[in-house]
Amino acid sequence: MLVRKQEINLQINQITDAAMLAIVFWGCYLLRHHRLINVDFLPDIAPFSEFLWILAVIVPFGPFLLELQGFYQYPIEKTIWKSLIQITRAGVWLGLLIAICVIFFKLSVPSRSVVLLFLLLAPVALILRERLFIGIYLTRMEHGQARELILVAGEPKKMQEVIESMTILQRMELKIAEEVNLEENSIGFLVDKIHSHSVGRVILAFSSMDLDHVQKAIEACEIEGVETWLCADFIKTSIARPTYELLGNRPMLVFRSTPEVSWALLVKTAIDKSCAIFGLVMASPVFLLVYVLMKITSPGPVLFSQRRAGLHGKPFTMYKFRSMNSNAEMQRHELEIHNEMQGPVFKIAEDPRVTRFGKWLRKTSLDELPQLWNVLKGEMSLVGPRPLPLYEVDKFESLSHRRRLSMRPGLTCLWQVEGRSNVSSFDDWVRLDLKYIDSWSLLLDAYILIRTIPAVLMGLGAK
C-alpha cells in the first residue's frame, strides 16, 4: 500500500511538473514576445510553433531527469539547497539534450532570451511546487487526515528494531496504535486488538522464523480482511535487494543483486541500439580503410571472431578487427607462462603475436568497432563488463567472479577508463565490474562513455 501510494504520488508530481514546465516555457515566450525581456536584441520573435520542438524535449525529459537526480525522493527531509542542486544537475542534462538536437538534427533555437529566462524561472517554479505540496501534506498530517492507524505485532526486540528503522516520512504517515507481544499473547489477543483499534494493517516482526506461528497470525489477519506486512530481514543478504513478485498465484520474495527491469534499462537498450546503428553507418569509411590496410600489412582474415560469455554466461560470437597473426590462438598455450594478469585472464604487455598494424588498432581501440554489430544484435551493450572468452570463464574460482556475468557485457566499463592493462589483478578488475553493477544508472553509463573518449584518444592503459 505504501509503495503503491508512493508510486502514485511520484506520478502525480511528475505530471504536475511536466505541465508546469510547459506553462513556464510558454510564459517565457510571452515575456519575450511582448518585449518585456530581451537578451538577443532581435526586434521580433519567431512564432511559438518554431519553439515546439524544444517543448517536446522539456515536457517528457524534464521530470525523467529530475527523477534520476533523486528530486522526488524524501521531499520532506530535503533542504531547498539540495533540491536546487538536483534541479541544476537535471537542467545541465536537459541542456545537453537540446544541444544534441541542435547539432545532429539541425534544429534551431529561435530566441536565446526564451531559453535563458526558462532556465532561470523553471528552478524557482519547481521549488515552489515542491514546497507547496510539502506544506499541504504537513497540514493534512497535523489534522490527522493522512495518518494511517496500524498494529505492530511479534517479538518485542524485533518490533522495536522495525519501529526505529522507520523514516521520518513513514513516522508521519503511520500511527502505531499498539505493539502486540505475540511471545506472551495468543493470536486471539491480536484479533481483539484489531477489533478494538479498527486498524487496516498489521506489521509482523519476528527475529526467527516460526512458520506455524507466523502462518496463524497471517491467517487471522486474512480472515479479518486486514493487510499484513511480514518483516523479512530474518533472511540475511549482503548485496541482494528483496522485492515481491507473483509466480502464477503464489507469492514470491525475490532477492536481486542486479538492476531490476525498469524504464531506465529500457532507455539503456534504446540508446544502445540507436548508437550502434549510428556508429556502424558513420564508421563505414573506417571499416573500409582498416580492411584495405589489413590486407596490405598482414595475411589472413580481417575479422577475428571468438566465443565469449554474454549475459548470465550465455555464449555468443564476438567480433573484432584482427590485431594478431592468424595463428595466435594456437600460440597462446606457449605464452601462458608469461601471463602478467593474476587470475584466470591471460594478458601480457608485449604480446609477440600482435602485428604492427594491430598494435596501432589496439592503441586507438579501433579493433573494437565491429562489436557495434554485437550491440545491435542485443548481445552486448555500450557500457558493461567486458566479455571474456569461454575458456577463461570456466577457470573462475570465486563465486563473485561469476556475478560480473549478471549484466550484459559492454564495449567499455570502469575497468576500461581506469587504465585497462594497468589493472594487473583480475580481482581488481572484478571489483570495478561489481561496483558498476551495484551502482548502475544511466548517469553512470554517461560518465563512463565520456571518460572513455580521452582514455581511447590518449591510449591510456592500452597495450
Side-chain angles (χ1 to χ4, degrees):
M1 185 73 174
L2 276 178
V3 175
R4 182 58 184 156
K5 188 176 179 181
Q6 289 169 356
E7 288 177 355
I8 293 172
N9 287 336
L10 170 62
Q11 292 165 2
I12 291 172
N13 287 336
Q14 288 179 317
I15 293 171
T16 303
D17 286 347
M20 190 175 60
L21 289 173
I23 292 170
V24 170
F25 188 80
W26 180 65
C28 293
Y29 171 82
L30 290 179
L31 288 173
R32 172 61 182 86
H33 177 71
H34 294 293
R35 300 184 186 178
L36 298 176
I37 293 178
N38 189 354
V39 177
D40 40 37
F41 305 110
L42 297 174
D44 297 312
I45 188 173
F48 190 69
S49 58
E50 295 190 21
F51 290 85
L52 289 179
W53 74 265
I54 302 178
L55 200 60
V57 174
I58 291 172
V59 170
F61 286 102
F64 174 71
L65 292 170
L66 286 169
E67 183 183 357
L68 289 181
Q69 294 300 325
F71 178 68
Y72 300 106
Q73 295 179 2
Y74 312 113
I76 294 177
E77 301 168 32
K78 282 195 309 176
T79 62
I80 293 177
W81 176 246
K82 185 172 183 180
S83 294
L84 186 59
I85 291 174
Q86 292 169 334
I87 293 169
T88 302
R89 288 175 177 169
V92 170
W93 286 106
L94 191 62
L96 285 175
L97 279 177
I98 294 173
I100 289 170
C101 292
V102 171
I103 295 169
F104 290 101
F105 299 105
K106 307 300 181 184
L107 298 172
S108 62
V109 178
S111 172
R112 288 174 295 174
S113 295
V114 175
V115 176
L116 290 173
L117 191 59
F118 174 77
L119 293 175
L120 291 173
L121 295 183
V124 177
L126 288 169
I127 289 177
L128 287 175
R129 194 279 306 159
E130 181 187 57
R131 295 298 133 180
L132 177 63
F133 276 33
I134 290 174
I136 294 172
Y137 182 80
L138 291 177
T139 301
R140 293 184 64 205
M141 288 292 182
E142 290 174 2
H143 291 84
Q145 296 175 355
R147 298 196 74 182
E148 179 186 351
L149 203 62
I150 66 168
L151 283 178
V152 179
E155 300 170 5
K157 183 179 178 181
K158 193 63 183 178
M159 287 192 292
Q160 195 60 35
E161 289 177 5
V162 170
I163 293 170
E164 290 175 355
S165 68
M166 289 181 178
T167 65
I168 295 175
L169 182 60
Q170 288 167 346
R171 290 175 188 272
M172 295 177 70
E173 290 180 334
L174 302 175
K175 181 179 179 180
I176 300 173
E178 192 172 338
E179 298 172 34
V180 180
N181 185 348
L182 290 182
E183 284 186 336
E184 299 177 354
N185 297 290
S186 65
I187 300 299
F189 182 77
L190 171 63
V191 173
D192 291 338
K193 292 299 179 182
I194 292 173
H195 293 169
S196 62
H197 292 292
S198 300
V199 298
R201 187 203 312 260
V202 174
I203 296 177
L204 298 177
F206 296 90
S207 57
S208 59
M209 275 297 289
D210 182 349
L211 288 178
D212 184 58
H213 202 48
V214 172
Q215 179 67 34
K216 288 179 180 177
I218 294 175
E219 285 176 354
C221 293
E222 183 181 18
I223 292 170
E224 295 295 322
V226 173
E227 187 175 302
T228 314
W229 284 29
L230 175 63
C231 178
D233 63 352
F234 49 80
I235 303 174
K236 302 297 182 183
T237 60
S238 56
I239 299 171
R241 299 173 296 277
T243 56
Y244 175 80
E245 298 286 354
L246 282 175
L247 184 63
N249 61 350
R250 295 181 179 275
M252 297 284 167
L253 191 59
V254 182
F255 294 89
R256 284 192 182 90
S257 56
T258 56
E260 61 180 310
V261 176
S262 63
W263 280 106
L265 275 179
L266 293 177
V267 170
K268 176 181 172 71
T269 301
I271 292 173
D272 286 340
K273 301 280 187 182
S274 303
C275 290
I277 294 172
F278 180 78
L280 287 169
V281 173
M282 297 300 293
S284 54
V286 179
F287 277 77
L288 181 61
L289 178 63
V290 171
Y291 176 84
V292 173
L293 293 176
M294 185 81 72
K295 287 298 183 181
I296 294 174
T297 59
S298 175
V302 173
L303 288 179
F304 169 75
S305 62
Q306 188 181 53
R307 298 290 281 173
R308 298 276 178 120
L311 181 63
H312 304 308
K314 182 180 180 180
F316 74 99
T317 302
M318 192 196 76
Y319 300 98
K320 299 177 69 172
F321 282 128
R322 181 175 58 84
S323 58
M324 297 184 178
N325 54 48
S326 54
N327 62 340
E329 283 296 286
M330 291 183 288
Q331 295 177 309
R332 178 175 56 84
H333 297 288
E334 302 171 9
L335 297 170
E336 282 185 347
I337 58 173
H338 303 293
N339 187 14
E340 298 173 1
M341 178 71 77
Q342 299 173 19
V345 177
F346 175 74
K347 282 189 178 296
I348 52 178
E350 299 297 330
D351 196 324
R353 300 172 298 169
V354 179
T355 64
R356 290 182 62 185
F357 181 58
K359 190 170 185 179
W360 178 80
L361 283 175
R362 288 188 168 196
K363 191 75 174 177
T364 57
S365 294
L366 289 177
D367 61 322
E368 312 284 0
L369 274 181
Q371 288 163 46
L372 288 172
W373 177 247
N374 293 116
V375 175
L376 184 61
K377 291 171 65 180
E379 296 164 337
M380 292 179 62
S381 177
L382 293 178
V383 183
R386 288 294 296 161
L388 295 177
L390 295 177
Y391 58 81
E392 290 183 353
V393 172
D394 290 338
K395 295 179 183 178
F396 283 179
E397 298 177 354
S398 172
L399 291 176
S400 65
H401 292 175
R402 287 203 64 87
R403 197 161 75 82
R404 71 184 300 278
L405 302 174
S406 60
M407 279 198 79
R408 204 177 304 279
L411 291 173
T412 183
C413 199
L414 282 176
W415 169 75
Q416 191 89 356
V417 300
E418 291 292 337
R420 290 185 275 184
S421 298
N422 291 336
V423 178
S424 59
S425 170
F426 185 62
D427 285 336
D428 290 338
W429 184 347
V430 171
R431 177 180 56 79
L432 291 171
D433 285 337
L434 297 186
K435 179 182 176 182
Y436 167 77
I437 292 171
D438 294 337
S439 56
W440 177 82
S441 69
L442 288 174
L443 291 178
L444 180 59
D445 275 7
Y447 166 78
I448 292 171
L449 286 171
I450 291 170
R451 281 201 59 188
T452 298
I453 296 172
V456 169
L457 292 178
M458 293 185 287
L460 298 177
K463 304 286 185 181

